[in-house]
């Protein structure tokens, strides 16, 4: 057994190698039908691999020469879980999520015992966690082995983030790259933040990061610095960077994006008060409203306020369309207590084309008459039903929608709230209303529930893993060349071959 233990190559003599090759070609009796092993050559070397394969076969194990979908266990040596996961990602497997990734020490114990031994934590290259918040009745008591997926849509991410110290840092870095329009780096840090948010434990040492995907070397070096120093010098530098500070401030105004921020920054503006008072600048209607209601809008929307708006939206919409389906989407549907706006999706099984086109106009007119609208921008639908879904992971949809600022009187808000002095008895609230045809409502609901990272990964997963195109309107199967219909979100997950993830588990 010494050659097994020490990592030496086993019998080295030429004669014995030839014998190995000859033996390998003789079919051995498979005693353990349930296991199909594959031994990874990477970092182990071909000779030791051949030796272990031969030995395992002699002991009655089925060992494959090539990786295939029939493989149940991958055995590796000197590889971390993330090494193996990384390697697995480029292999063309239908479903690698069920694979056991084990260290060679497990195989050695099996060889000693002459039969398969139970794989325990010390053998597992990726951690053993049960992510299912609500195990279905009859499910096994033993936690299933879940590899952490590189896709947010295969992880359950609640608002209970155990790794704020890292995710806050990565979100700042991501935002800074967004301001610089560096998509690649933005995605790197957003993915890192997202995967860490899904963990049911806090990372306290770099050892805990083993087997976690989406953590590139530069990400890990920042984590290491945070673990050792309590903070990251790169994050500190970004926070004190003038361009970052200005972009953060300028884009906090409703209607101001990267282009306008860049222009104001180049013109030398460093504060909003100077911009507001500058006579030479031309503002859009949206920006004018953004400045006028700035303090209210940056103070964010509470759940109580969102619920008050929900009541008003229901009243107004049902006045014209009594059987409407109205869903509060966005962050509030995911269980957030605060949001930058309140998003609603509206549809109805009885929707005529005329209703679809007219309803938002009627609601807007009604509110305007009542003096409840501080701003609105109604965008007509540009949706073509037969068009293929968009391939872009960040594409906006084509539904008719209205971006508005609602005048919410405090008296409409239930629960405790502090009254504002000096007679202002309302708060400006950002609201988005989206109108969709009934046959799209499951797709629109999935898309408008977010989070953005969750949506991005759903689309990426659909195209990379399933050869399908998903957007807020439809799901298209490129292999079968058909649109897949869905009545609800569960059916969309099922079409994609994904476990259903509840809205409050989509806070990726
Ligand atoms: N969405 C999307 N792509 C976009 C914009 C939005 O997929 N380009 C989806 C994801 C979230 C949802 O629409 C609502 O958008 P926001 O209101 O911007 O996000 P939120 O999650 O509701 O965040 P907040 O709580 O800050 O409003
Ligand atoms: Mg929102």
């Amino acid at each position: 057994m010494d050659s097994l233990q020490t990592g030496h190559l086993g019998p080295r003599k030429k004669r014995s190698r030839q014998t190995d090759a000859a033996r390998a070609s003789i079919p051995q009796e498979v005693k353990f039908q349930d296991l199909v092993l594959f031994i990874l050559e990477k970092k182990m070397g071909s000779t030791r691999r051949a030796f272990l394969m031969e030995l395992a076969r002699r002991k009655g194990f089925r060992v494959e020469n090539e990786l295939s979908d029939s493989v149940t266990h991958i055995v590796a040596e000197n590889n971390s879980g993330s090494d193996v996961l990384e390697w697995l990602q480029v292999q063309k497997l239908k479903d690698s999520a069920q694979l056991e990734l084990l260290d060679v020490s497990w195989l050695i114990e099996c060889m000693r015992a002459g039969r398969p031994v139970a794989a325990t934590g010390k053998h597992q290259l990726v951690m053993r966690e049960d992510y299912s918040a609500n195990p279905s009745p009859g499910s096994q008591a033993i936690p299933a082995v879940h590899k952490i997926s590189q896709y947010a849509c295969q992880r359950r991410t609640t608002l209970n983030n155990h790794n704020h110290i890292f995710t806050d840092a990565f979100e700042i870095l991501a935002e800074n790259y967004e301001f610089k329009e560096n998509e690649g780096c933005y995605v790197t840090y957003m993915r890192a933040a997202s995967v860490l948010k899904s963990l049911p434990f806090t990372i306290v040492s770099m050892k805990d990061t083993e087997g976690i995907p989406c953590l590139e070397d530069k990400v890990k070096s920042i984590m290491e610095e945070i673990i050792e120093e309590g903070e990251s010098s790169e994050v500190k530098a970004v926070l004190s960077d003038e361009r970052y500070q200005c972009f953060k401030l300028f884009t906090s105004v409703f209607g101001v994006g990267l282009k306008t921020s860049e222009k104001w920054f180049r013109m030398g503006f460093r504060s909003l008060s100077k911009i507001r008072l500058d006579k030479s600048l031309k503002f859009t209607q949206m920006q004018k409203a953004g400045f006028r209601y700035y303090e209210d809008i940056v103070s964010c929307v509470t759940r109580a306020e969102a619920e008050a708006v929900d009541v008003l939206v229901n009243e107004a919409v049902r006045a014209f369309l009594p059987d409407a389906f109205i869903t509060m989407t966005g962050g509030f549907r995911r269980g957030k207590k605060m949001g930058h706006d309140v998003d609603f999706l509206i549809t109805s099984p009885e929707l005529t084309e005329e209703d679809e086109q007219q309803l938002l106009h009627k609601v807007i007119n009604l509110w305007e008459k009542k003096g409840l609208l501080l701003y609105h921008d109604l965008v007509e639908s540009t949706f073509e039903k037969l068009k293929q879904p968009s391939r872009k992971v960040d594409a906006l949809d084509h539904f008719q929608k209205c971006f508005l600022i609602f005048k919410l009187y405090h008296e409409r808000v239930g629960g405790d709230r502090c009254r504002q002095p000096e007679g202002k008895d309302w708060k400006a609230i950002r609201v988005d209303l989206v109108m969709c045809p009934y046959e799209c409502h499951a797709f629109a609901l999935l898309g408008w529930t977010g989070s953005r990272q969750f949506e991005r990964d759903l689309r990426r997963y659909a195209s990379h893993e399933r050869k399908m195109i998903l957007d807020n309107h439809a799901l298209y199967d490129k292999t079968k060349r058909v649109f897949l219909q869905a009545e609800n979100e569960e059916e969309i997950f099922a079409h994609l071959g994904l476990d259903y993830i509840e809205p409050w588990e989509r806070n990726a």
Side-chain angles (χ1 to χ4, degrees):
M1 280 295 165
D2 276 346
S3 57
L4 282 175
Q5 206 90 86
T6 57
H8 278 301
L9 303 174
R12 276 172 199 252
K13 285 175 257 163
K14 265 225 170 83
R15 187 187 54 79
S16 106
R17 266 217 217 164
Q18 278 164 356
T19 323
D20 288 349
R23 273 198 199 123
S25 62
I26 302 165
Q28 311 271 345
E29 190 205 343
V30 177
K31 285 198 222 153
F32 314 107
Q33 301 283 351
D34 294 345
L35 275 71
V36 183
L37 311 189
F38 175 80
I39 302 177
L40 189 60
E41 187 178 308
K42 197 175 156 225
K43 296 191 186 169
M44 178 187 280
S46 59
T47 320
R48 176 155 163 86
R49 175 175 183 257
F51 165 70
L52 288 171
M53 281 169 68
E54 210 267 330
L55 183 65
R57 282 174 180 154
R58 257 195 282 143
K59 300 262 180 188
F61 285 79
R62 180 171 156 199
V63 188
E64 299 288 278
N65 291 324
E66 313 272 338
L67 183 68
S68 72
D69 284 307
S70 56
V71 168
T72 59
H73 293 60
I74 293 184
V75 176
E77 186 165 45
N78 299 324
N79 281 273
S80 71
S82 47
D83 289 339
V84 181
L85 285 171
E86 210 168 83
W87 175 84
L88 256 182
Q89 270 165 28
V90 295
Q91 309 302 312
K92 292 193 174 56
L93 279 193
K94 280 202 205 86
D95 182 15
S96 55
Q98 303 305 317
L99 275 172
E100 287 270 13
L101 309 186
L102 301 172
D103 185 71
V104 73
S105 58
W106 171 78
L107 186 65
I108 292 168
E109 282 182 37
C110 293
M111 298 300 99
R112 277 212 186 101
R115 55 171 174 77
V117 300
T120 60
K122 67 177 178 182
H123 303 124
Q124 261 145 357
L125 292 173
V126 275
M127 65 203 62
R128 181 184 270 268
E129 285 300 339
D130 184 16
Y131 287 96
S132 53
N134 299 304
S136 53
S139 69
Q140 292 176 357
I142 306 160
V145 174
H146 287 266
K147 312 293 178 290
I148 300 174
S149 170
Q150 61 148 320
Y151 297 105
C153 56
Q154 291 187 304
R155 306 189 295 251
R156 296 178 196 273
T157 314
T158 65
L159 289 165
N160 190 8
N161 177 359
H162 299 272
N163 289 286
H164 265 296
I165 184 167
F166 305 110
T167 61
D168 289 353
F170 293 151
E171 280 172 350
I172 291 164
L173 297 177
E175 191 176 37
N176 189 43
Y177 283 116
E178 190 183 15
F179 293 161
K180 292 181 172 177
E181 295 184 64
N182 181 337
E183 172 82 12
C185 291
Y186 167 78
V187 168
T188 297
Y189 288 110
M190 288 305 281
R191 282 193 191 151
S194 175
V195 76
L196 297 182
K197 284 181 189 176
S198 75
L199 300 178
F201 57 88
T202 305
I203 290 186
V204 292
S205 88
M206 288 313 285
K207 215 168 167 0
D208 300 335
T209 64
E210 270 180 35
I212 302 175
C214 313
L215 303 179
E216 292 182 13
D217 288 348
K218 55 186 174 182
V219 166
K220 281 196 176 158
S221 70
I222 292 171
M223 292 181 73
E224 205 164 355
E225 197 189 343
I226 294 175
I227 289 170
E228 281 164 17
E229 315 287 331
E231 61 182 10
S232 146
S233 49
E234 199 174 328
V235 172
K236 260 175 89 178
V238 167
L239 287 174
S240 56
D241 177 63
E242 195 176 38
R243 189 176 182 277
Y244 171 81
Q245 289 173 351
C246 286
F247 270 63
K248 181 97 182 144
L249 183 66
F250 300 165
T251 56
S252 71
V253 180
F254 175 50
V256 178
L258 297 184
K259 276 206 188 77
T260 309
S261 299
E262 182 76 53
K263 189 176 94 185
W264 291 348
F265 185 73
R266 288 217 183 144
M267 288 171 81
F269 289 108
R270 295 294 180 263
S271 75
L272 290 180
S273 53
K274 288 262 166 59
I275 294 170
R276 256 181 200 192
L277 295 171
D278 194 287
K279 292 277 183 293
S280 70
L281 292 174
K282 285 243 177 314
F283 302 121
T284 63
Q285 292 301 318
M286 203 182 241
Q287 290 162 354
K288 283 181 194 166
F291 279 121
R292 196 171 302 138
Y293 307 110
Y294 182 76
E295 281 74 22
D296 278 1
I297 293 174
V298 289
S299 80
C300 281
V301 185
T302 64
R303 177 161 285 275
E305 287 161 349
E307 275 161 13
V309 175
D310 189 25
V311 172
L312 290 155
V313 169
N314 270 272
E315 275 173 18
V317 170
R318 286 186 203 289
F320 305 108
L321 192 64
D323 62 356
F325 285 24
I326 304 161
T327 317
M328 199 198 285
T329 59
F332 288 109
R333 184 162 183 250
R334 303 195 309 273
K336 279 174 68 177
K337 295 214 159 56
M338 294 284 251
H340 92 284
D341 66 357
V342 201
D343 308 286
F344 291 94
L345 181 69
I346 305 165
T347 189
S348 159
E350 308 293 331
L351 205 60
T352 63
E353 272 190 29
E354 200 193 330
D355 288 335
E356 193 189 317
Q357 205 279 324
Q358 287 300 314
L359 183 89
L360 286 188
H361 289 273
K362 290 178 182 167
V363 169
I364 297 305
N365 284 339
L366 177 78
W367 282 343
E368 222 163 18
K369 274 196 202 127
K370 292 186 173 178
L372 294 174
L373 277 191
L374 300 170
Y375 169 86
H376 75 274
D377 174 23
L378 205 151
V379 185
E380 290 299 340
S381 163
T382 54
F383 178 42
E384 295 163 47
K385 286 186 185 169
L386 296 174
K387 234 176 119 179
Q388 270 196 13
S390 170
R391 284 158 199 275
K392 295 194 198 123
V393 282
D394 275 326
L396 279 172
D397 58 53
H398 301 283
F399 300 128
Q400 186 194 45
K401 53 179 88 65
C402 188
F403 306 107
L404 58 92
I405 302 177
F406 197 87
K407 185 172 186 177
L408 180 66
Y409 285 96
H410 294 325
E411 63 187 25
R412 306 278 328 195
V413 184
D416 284 344
R417 80 211 119 79
C418 38
R419 286 204 157 271
Q420 276 175 311
E422 84 242 1
K424 181 171 168 274
D425 55 354
W426 53 271
K427 180 175 165 186
I429 306 275
R430 273 274 303 111
V431 175
D432 288 345
L433 302 179
V434 182
M435 188 75 203
C436 79
Y438 189 70
E439 62 273 22
C440 304
H441 77 279
F443 299 98
L445 181 60
L446 181 59
W448 276 87
T449 298
S451 68
R452 280 171 197 237
Q453 192 58 35
F454 191 87
E455 301 302 323
R456 247 183 242 123
D457 277 5
L458 260 178
R459 290 169 202 176
R460 197 162 61 92
Y461 175 87
S463 74
H464 293 195
E465 306 293 330
R466 302 280 165 197
K467 293 200 167 50
M468 293 182 187
I469 315 175
L470 172 73
D471 69 8
N472 285 3
H473 316 91
L475 177 63
Y476 182 76
D477 185 326
K478 289 202 286 181
T479 317
K480 296 187 187 142
R481 299 194 185 165
V482 288
F483 283 95
L484 302 171
Q485 308 301 318
E487 259 297 306
N488 49 46
E489 291 175 313
E490 283 87 341
E491 290 180 15
I492 305 174
F493 281 86
H495 282 314
L496 291 167
L498 288 170
D499 286 344
Y500 183 62
I501 307 286
E502 297 284 357
W504 58 90
E505 298 167 331
R506 299 181 203 162
N507 286 290

